[in-house]
Amino acid sequence: MGSKWRRMKLALGLNLCTYLPRTLEESPTPLNSTERLSDAALLSPLNWPMTPTPSSYGLKLSRNSSKSSKTCSICLTKMKEGGGHAIFTAECSHSFHFHCIASNVKHGNQVCPVCRAKWKEIPMQQPTFDLPYLFARSYNNDAAISLVHRLPTPRRVMNQGRVLAPEPLMFNDDEPLEQQLVFSGKSYNDALGNNHPVRMMDLKIYPEVSAVPRAESREKFDVLVHLRAAAMVTGNADSLNNQISRYPRAPIDLVTVLDISGSMAGTKLALLKRAMGFVIQNLGSNDRLSVIAFSSTARRLFPLTQMSDAGRHIALQAVNSLVANGGTNIAEGLKKSVKVMEDRRDKNPVASIILLSDGRDTYTMNQPDPNYKLLLPLSMHGCESKRFQIPVHSFGFGSDHDASLMHSVSETSGGTFSFIESESVIQDALAQCIGGLLSVAVQELRLEIDGLCLDVHLSSIKTGSYPSLVTSDGRSGCVDIGDLYADEERDFLISINIPAQRGGNETPLLKMRCVYKDLLTKEIVTLQSHVLKIQRPETVGQEVDVSIEVDRQRNRFLAAEAMVKARALAEGEDLAAAVTVIQSFRQVLGETVSAKSGDGFCVALDRELKEMQERMASRHVYEVSGRAYILSGLSSHSWQRATSRGESGDGSSFVQAYYQTPSMVEMLNRSQATSHHRVIQPLISFASQPKPR
């Protein structure tokens, strides 16, 4: 037996993968029971063999070697000789499972995933060979040797060490969806064990003041509309009096667009892989994922694939095969991601694109005054026909990314822009975003407003980035909101006039209703109309303070306007004027009713504005972090959705706590539990400063 192995070793030569049969002393190990690292170690570079061993490359046949339990650097499972798996050792001394490295090569790589050494010989999988049968029984040397192929001069397109196999013309090869369960209203309630009608939205209205003297008229009287989506609650609820309905979540189609340009080499790419590993492990079996990698060109690593155990394995292998090189072609990456979404045959109820980059587009957007909106096709723009069906959530990390481009792409599509100052928190930032996407409660949400009195007219609706419309006669208006995450809230300010009146103790002002699509029943639901009336006494005994809820939202909108103005001045080379704008608003903010009452959000808002001032201290500081910090803040306030921003322990984290949902916090905690790096976390609880309910 030993002489046969020696002859085999000599015949195979160097750099060959072989199947190692089990010894009689070793118990069989099922293929699906390989030892797995913990979630904390998943894709962690700390578990990769980073330094080549001095031993020669080729076959590793010793059953008693101290290296018999090394870790495969691609799938991160243990490699046991004699465990029933083929082991490939490259000429650079790094070892891998044969099926893992063969898949890596299939995706176009000819370099070592660990040390990036360019291989002269690569493993090629021959589907006609049954490796266990081949080696354990016949020991066919010629057949074994044919598994190793000398690289001929490739006829396919080469890209810095990678062989690019042709992609299909249509990306309609997405994995088919199984029949999805659609509930009727009654069966939905029965499935949840709920005898009460399902209610996915809650709507409340707050006038600026509760009473206006009968003889007075008011112009620009503010009315706050507060919306809240259903909370994700597990188990049986004792009472639904103060609770919105429980519901199972809708599955998602997710495309991640990953920057693998040369600037991503080293730690950045390792941390990006770890973050993607976290995303892959936390998607459900009904969720589908596709990954686009871009540098000088863009390539789809695999089609939309369900994240079953097999799908996760495919995704992890593909992500771990990535090697950083080349330029930065963001436009091409986005183009591929949109094509994946547009060509898919089946569609999950929720869809989103995530873009991560640390650089600037050096191919498409290199003209003096680029139009960033051209990066997305019209089908992705927020218009009446689409209403942000597929938002792009972008993450710019480091000091060299193009914050203006990424913010514009997200703003155009209805997504958010996050600024990750330190790449060490990439996973936490992605976790927060995924926590929201995996908890979408309603879609196509629309708020409709009608005046009830002939003399009451709408003058404006403050909505941030959400599209809104007021009719020419001022009698009605609407706001298109789109998706809302579980327990997520939206606040809009409607400005109206209140006429004087001769008699009566109240004036009916507005009627409002919500229309949305329930993701599980697929039905269009209309939330019962709410009517706002205001008291009209003869006189008001003392001056009535403005509602804290209304004043808080006024401050938010005014702060966003100050940020927009300051950024425009900063881009126009007038940093001093930009700082003055922020400082002036901070003084105004301090005199408002909500700030004087110690409202937590207003305190956090002031700290955030102070941080922005400091990041405009000089042109260099503004270019490195100020622009991205301001744009991420604008994105958060205009969409009323949590973004990751900088790494400061100051005001930004306080503000984010206001927008974070329980699902985001849960996923963020899960990320932090598997990481040992510095984390993004809410530094204040708003439990003592309740939002409008």
Side-chain angles (χ1 to χ4, degrees):
M1 178 69 178
S3 61
K4 288 185 178 180
W5 275 109
R6 283 194 295 274
R7 287 198 300 272
M8 172 66 74
K9 183 176 180 180
L10 291 173
L12 295 178
L14 301 177
N15 195 29
L16 182 61
C17 160
T18 185
Y19 174 85
L20 301 181
R22 301 185 186 93
T23 62
L24 294 176
E25 310 92 84
E26 294 173 322
S27 59
T29 304
L31 190 64
N32 61 354
S33 63
T34 55
E35 297 181 21
R36 295 198 59 81
L37 297 175
S38 66
D39 289 341
L42 178 68
L43 292 176
S44 172
L46 299 177
N47 292 300
W48 301 350
M50 299 300 292
T51 306
T53 62
S55 61
S56 61
Y57 59 91
L59 287 175
K60 302 295 183 184
L61 299 178
S62 172
R63 298 176 178 84
N64 299 316
S65 170
S66 61
K67 298 178 183 179
S68 62
S69 61
K70 287 199 300 184
T71 300
C72 173
S73 299
I74 295 179
C75 70
L76 298 184
T77 58
K78 300 290 185 181
M79 294 187 297
K80 283 188 175 181
E81 295 182 1
H85 297 279
I87 299 175
F88 174 83
T89 301
E91 58 211 67
C92 59
S93 299
H94 291 120
S95 298
F96 314 89
H97 287 124
F98 177 71
H99 64 275
C100 292
I101 198 63
S103 175
N104 198 47
V105 170
K106 182 181 177 182
H107 283 90
N109 287 317
Q110 298 174 14
V111 295
C112 175
V114 177
C115 66
R116 300 180 65 198
K118 189 172 182 180
W119 292 339
K120 296 178 182 178
E121 298 176 346
I122 59 172
M124 300 289 288
Q125 207 152 20
Q126 296 282 350
T128 57
F129 291 159
D130 185 337
L131 285 174
Y133 177 82
L134 172 68
F135 285 99
R137 295 182 180 272
S138 66
Y139 298 96
N140 187 327
N141 293 349
D142 293 335
I145 292 172
S146 67
L147 287 176
V148 175
H149 293 253
R150 287 278 179 183
L151 284 175
T153 303
R155 296 181 180 180
R156 291 176 288 179
V157 179
M158 295 284 294
N159 181 25
Q160 301 194 20
R162 304 188 67 190
V163 180
L164 304 181
E167 288 183 324
L169 295 177
M170 293 286 291
F171 288 162
N172 59 356
D173 52 351
D174 52 299
E175 184 173 354
L177 294 174
E178 297 178 1
Q179 183 94 26
Q180 294 187 9
L181 184 62
V182 178
F183 293 94
S184 67
K186 184 177 185 303
S187 65
Y188 186 15
N189 284 306
D190 293 341
L192 294 176
N194 185 357
N195 295 323
H196 300 265
V198 171
R199 183 160 54 93
M200 299 299 293
M201 289 297 306
D202 192 19
L203 184 155
K204 291 188 177 180
I205 309 172
Y206 298 85
E208 179 180 317
V209 293
S210 58
V212 174
R214 195 178 304 152
E216 288 186 17
S217 62
R218 295 280 183 92
E219 298 295 329
K220 296 184 178 179
F221 182 89
D222 286 335
V223 175
L224 171 65
V225 183
H226 177 78
L227 304 173
R228 183 166 69 96
M232 292 188 78
V233 180
T234 57
N236 294 322
D238 295 330
S239 172
L240 292 180
N241 293 333
N242 298 311
Q243 179 184 329
I244 305 177
S245 307
R246 296 170 286 118
Y247 69 97
R249 76 168 180 88
I252 185 175
D253 283 343
L254 178 66
V255 179
T256 57
V257 186
L258 309 180
D259 186 343
I260 57 167
S261 59
S263 60
M264 288 291 296
T267 304
K268 285 183 181 178
L269 186 59
L271 291 171
L272 179 60
K273 289 179 178 181
R274 181 175 66 181
M276 278 302 302
F278 177 84
V279 172
I280 291 166
Q281 294 288 13
N282 281 279
L283 291 175
S285 59
N286 291 325
D287 301 316
R288 298 191 301 177
L289 174 70
S290 179
V291 176
I292 307 294
F294 71 91
S295 53
S296 302
T297 59
R299 184 163 185 80
R300 187 191 65 166
L301 301 187
F302 55 89
L304 278 172
T305 303
Q306 288 185 322
M307 288 297 99
S308 59
D309 289 342
R312 287 194 185 100
H313 188 71
I314 291 171
L316 288 171
Q317 282 191 324
V319 169
N320 273 285
S321 74
L322 296 175
V323 177
N325 56 62
T328 306
N329 195 337
I330 297 176
E332 190 65 21
L334 284 172
K335 180 180 177 181
K336 285 276 171 71
S337 67
V338 173
K339 183 172 176 60
V340 169
M341 289 297 191
E342 291 184 335
D343 290 356
R344 55 188 169 150
R345 293 171 300 175
D346 295 336
K347 294 182 180 181
N348 264 325
V350 181
S352 186
I353 295 171
I354 289 179
L355 167 66
L356 300 101
S357 177
D358 76 331
R360 298 175 179 272
D361 191 307
T362 53
Y363 289 83
T364 310
M365 296 286 115
N366 51 7
Q367 57 266 38
D369 189 20
N371 183 357
Y372 296 126
K373 290 185 177 181
L374 297 179
L375 287 169
L376 291 174
L378 290 177
S379 61
M380 293 284 289
H381 289 210
C383 56
E384 290 187 4
S385 61
K386 293 293 178 182
R387 294 183 188 169
F388 307 123
Q389 292 286 326
I390 306 177
V392 178
H393 298 285
S394 61
F395 295 80
F397 44 94
S399 59
D400 296 325
H401 73 277
D402 193 336
S404 297
L405 179 152
M406 301 185 81
H407 176 264
S408 180
V409 165
S410 293
E411 191 74 9
T412 300
S413 64
T416 56
F417 165 65
S418 291
F419 167 42
I420 306 173
E421 194 163 13
S422 170
E423 60 265 20
S424 64
V425 295
I426 292 175
Q427 179 172 306
D428 287 346
L430 272 181
Q432 179 175 267
C433 181
I434 291 296
L437 292 174
L438 297 184
S439 65
V440 173
V442 299
Q443 285 185 319
E444 300 178 21
L445 177 61
R446 181 182 177 92
L447 173 66
E448 298 176 349
I449 310 119
D450 292 305
L452 289 177
C453 178
L454 291 176
D455 294 328
V456 174
H457 298 88
L458 285 68
S459 58
S460 67
I461 308 175
K462 289 187 177 182
T463 63
S465 293
Y466 293 99
S468 63
L469 173 69
V470 175
T471 57
S472 57
D473 60 3
R475 298 288 302 132
S476 62
C478 64
V479 183
D480 286 316
I481 303 162
D483 293 2
L484 218 56
Y485 301 156
D487 214 18
E488 200 169 34
E489 306 179 17
R490 292 293 179 269
D491 294 289
F492 305 112
L493 280 179
I494 304 170
S495 184
I496 63 173
N497 72 296
I498 296 182
Q501 66 183 46
R502 295 182 179 179
N505 295 322
E506 61 181 19
T507 302
L509 299 177
L510 300 171
K511 179 176 67 175
M512 304 183 199
R513 60 185 171 273
C514 280
V515 181
Y516 61 90
K517 182 172 81 172
D518 188 302
L519 289 175
L520 297 173
T521 66
K522 310 297 183 185
E523 297 172 351
I524 301 299
V525 180
T526 300
L527 187 64
Q528 215 169 29
S529 299
H530 286 59
V531 174
L532 172 65
K533 299 178 181 180
I534 194 168
Q535 299 300 311
R536 304 304 297 270
E538 187 75 32
T539 59
V540 176
Q542 58 182 9
E543 185 176 350
V544 181
D545 287 335
V546 175
S547 160
I548 292 290
E549 290 82 5
V550 173
D551 191 60
R552 178 191 298 131
Q553 298 306 320
R554 273 184 186 166
N555 291 336
R556 178 176 62 83
F557 284 114
L558 291 173
E561 291 173 7
M563 293 175 198
V564 171
K565 187 175 180 180
R567 184 199 169 222
L569 290 168
E571 298 293 338
E573 306 295 326
D574 196 346
L575 281 174
V579 171
T580 300
V581 167
I582 298 294
Q583 180 60 38
S584 298
F585 177 71
R586 288 182 64 199
Q587 293 173 355
V588 172
L589 176 64
E591 297 300 318
T592 60
V593 172
S594 53
K596 286 182 176 180
S597 68
D599 178 70
F601 178 75
C602 291
V603 172
L605 191 58
D606 180 69
R607 293 181 180 180
E608 179 187 32
L609 292 166
K610 182 176 180 289
E611 178 81 7
M612 290 181 180
Q613 277 184 259
E614 294 172 355
R615 290 177 184 259
M616 292 189 289
S618 68
R619 174 56 49 183
H620 173 72
V621 173
Y622 177 75
E623 295 288 344
V624 168
S625 68
R627 177 187 293 114
Y629 188 89
I630 292 173
L631 287 175
S632 182
L634 272 173
S635 180
S636 183
H637 290 303
S638 62
W639 294 112
Q640 300 181 58
R641 182 161 281 170
T643 62
S644 301
R645 154 177 3 160
E647 62 172 352
S648 170
D650 204 82
S652 61
S653 295
F654 289 80
V655 172
Q656 288 316 294
Y658 187 79
Y659 293 125
Q660 281 177 334
T661 66
S663 299
M664 291 179 178
V665 173
E666 179 186 350
M667 194 65 72
L668 189 55
N669 290 338
R670 193 178 300 178
S671 171
Q672 294 169 6
T674 63
S675 305
H676 300 287
H677 55 278
R678 186 177 179 181
V679 296
I680 301 172
Q681 59 183 355
L683 301 180
I684 189 172
S685 171
F686 281 91
S688 59
Q689 302 287 346
K691 306 175 196 178
R693 299 295 185 189

